[in-house]
Amino acid sequence: MVSLTLDGLTGASQDRMTAEHKTGAYQMMLHINLWSVLWLAVGLLMSGEGLLFLGFVQRFPEVLTKMVIFGIASAIGQVFIFITVTTFGPLPCSIITTTRKFFTILGSVIIFQNPMNSRQWVGTVLVFLGLGLDSAYGKEKKDSKSAKPVSASR
């Protein structure tokens, strides 16, 4: 529930940034990542995890190469996400990522025979049903009752 709530708040903020400030994909990505670095730095300093990380890197320096590769791959993925958000909006981006996650889970179950319990199957069916309903009915035009009446001037 927290994740969905934060997704909704993020989507609304991204819609507003795009509409009011004509924010581009790279500009939005830069500023969101700068805020993330700020909050993570505060968390690292307050928790003491930063010093533990430095000790870990001293013991296992090869982890830095793997972190750089992971960072580059993440940045490339973020570029596609932010281009989708600024071009199509946060809701289609959310639908795309949910669909990708759904098929990843389904592939994991089919290809690697990872078991799912009945609650997980119900959740999977609900996601598939929601995506199907959105695909079928999400793009319908609003009915004529919601249109603003045109007043005749005399």
Side-chain angles (χ1 to χ4, degrees), residues 42-71:
V42 169
L44 281 173
L45 292 173
M46 291 180 67
S47 70
E49 293 285 327
L51 294 175
L52 291 174
F53 169 72
L54 291 176
F56 181 81
V57 169
Q58 284 179 337
R59 288 189 311 277
F60 306 101
E62 65 274 6
V63 76
L64 288 175
T65 304
K66 295 178 192 245
M67 288 176 61
V68 168
I69 292 168
F70 179 75

Side-chain angles (χ1 to χ4, degrees), residues 95-116 121 124 127-128 131:
I95 291 168
I96 291 167
T97 57
T98 301
T99 306
R100 180 198 59 80
K101 290 174 189 174
F102 168 74
F103 283 110
T104 299
I105 291 169
L106 200 59
S108 172
V109 169
I110 293 169
I111 295 169
F112 300 111
Q113 281 110 31
N114 289 323
M116 284 178 42
W121 275 112
T124 303
V127 168
F128 184 70
L131 291 171

